[in-house]
Amino acid sequence: MSNRYFPFHALGLQCNPFRALTDDEWADIAVLPDAFIATIERDNAHVQILGARGFGKTTMLLALAARFKRAGKRVAYEYRAEGQSRFTTDADSLDVFLLDEAQRLGSRERNRLLGAASHTRLVLGTHTDFTREFARHGLPLTALRLEPATAAHLAAILQTRLDYFARGESRAITFTPDAIQFLSQRFGGDLRALDHFLYDVFQRLERAEPITAERLRAIL
């Protein structure tokens, strides 16, 4: 068929690599910091992942859910949208329960969640710190805080995304070091805003060639 139906094929890509992703795709492309993996695998403590909006908490939770499943655990992931103050998962039947936007739970629901923590490992994505609540219940809690990505980590994130949506072995499109530095300085830890920006960048691409900082500045 004509390339006008599949414009990204000419760029060596299946599609725009920064389009909206499914939960499974987010889990596949996540680049977990080594320190996070080591902490989570070192003990069986409950975990809270703290970070500002857009820093990648959801991606982290989806990747961890997939990791636990591969290890043979009974796992569930649940996202609480704004205005939803209750969780619906039967946490009592699980080995690991991953709850996204846990700060949205009401006080009664938080107590119900902590009641399940005696036999189910909890991994929370949250904007607020649950340390005191866990301590009041005598429960161990490890806090992992998402910080702005370093240039090296950002480079790994972007290359993983390009590789995931590549067609064949061609890797003509890359980000130059100055482009990585520019994106790191411009977006900091807001990976969601970075995704939106790069979606527009890739919609405008006409040739498979390295993406430079100069090219990115011209689009802003």
Side-chain angles (χ1 to χ4, degrees):
M1 298 178 71
S2 170
N3 272 344
R4 71 189 182 92
Y5 295 108
F6 302 101
F8 286 94
H9 286 190
L11 303 177
L13 297 166
Q14 301 172 37
C15 60
N16 188 322
F18 295 94
R19 64 164 172 76
L21 303 182
T22 66
D23 285 356
D24 287 343
E25 287 171 336
W26 277 121
D28 288 344
I29 61 93
V31 179
L32 298 175
D34 291 340
F36 275 37
I37 296 174
T39 298
I40 287 167
E41 293 185 344
R42 185 173 58 238
D43 54 44
N44 199 43
H46 304 293
V47 176
Q48 63 174 349
I49 299 174
L50 295 155
R53 181 180 180 273
F55 270 45
K57 295 186 300 299
T58 295
T59 302
M60 190 76 60
L61 289 172
L62 291 170
L64 290 174
R67 192 178 187 88
F68 286 128
K69 287 177 182 177
R70 289 194 296 270
K73 303 291 187 182
R74 296 170 299 167
V75 179
Y77 163 85
E78 182 176 334
Y79 173 83
R80 292 291 81 203
E82 191 169 354
Q84 296 179 328
S85 60
R86 301 188 64 197
F87 66 93
T88 59
T89 299
D90 178 13
D92 292 335
S93 63
L94 302 172
D95 296 313
V96 185
F97 178 37
L98 301 99
L99 181 62
D100 204 350
E101 302 291 359
Q103 78 282 350
R104 292 174 175 164
L105 295 181
S107 58
R108 180 177 297 181
E109 284 296 286
R110 293 188 183 200
N111 287 331
R112 185 163 73 93
L113 179 69
L114 292 170
S118 61
H119 45 77
T120 300
R121 189 180 188 188
L122 302 178
V123 181
L124 310 179
T126 176
H127 292 276
T128 59
D129 194 334
F130 277 74
T131 298
R132 290 184 178 179
E133 290 173 77
F134 274 72
R136 283 200 300 269
H137 287 75
L139 297 168
L141 178 66
T142 298
L144 298 174
R145 187 173 295 276
L146 290 172
E147 303 290 350
T150 65
H153 188 61
L154 180 59
I157 290 173
L158 297 178
Q159 191 60 52
T160 298
R161 184 79 71 94
L162 292 177
D163 290 345
Y164 188 81
F165 288 105
R167 297 183 75 231
E169 299 301 318
S170 175
R171 296 293 186 274
I173 298 180
T174 59
F175 290 91
T176 61
D178 68 319
I180 296 293
Q181 193 64 38
F182 170 79
L183 292 171
S184 178
Q185 293 173 351
R186 178 69 176 78
F187 293 98
D190 193 347
L191 301 179
R192 187 178 305 169
L194 174 64
D195 268 7
H196 292 164
F197 171 65
L198 290 179
Y199 175 84
D200 289 337
V201 170
F202 275 73
Q203 286 296 108
R204 302 183 189 196
L205 284 184
E206 296 178 353
R207 297 182 302 278
E209 60 186 12
I211 297 174
T212 65
E214 181 181 3
R215 189 168 193 175
L216 296 174
R217 289 191 190 97
I219 293 175
L220 275 176

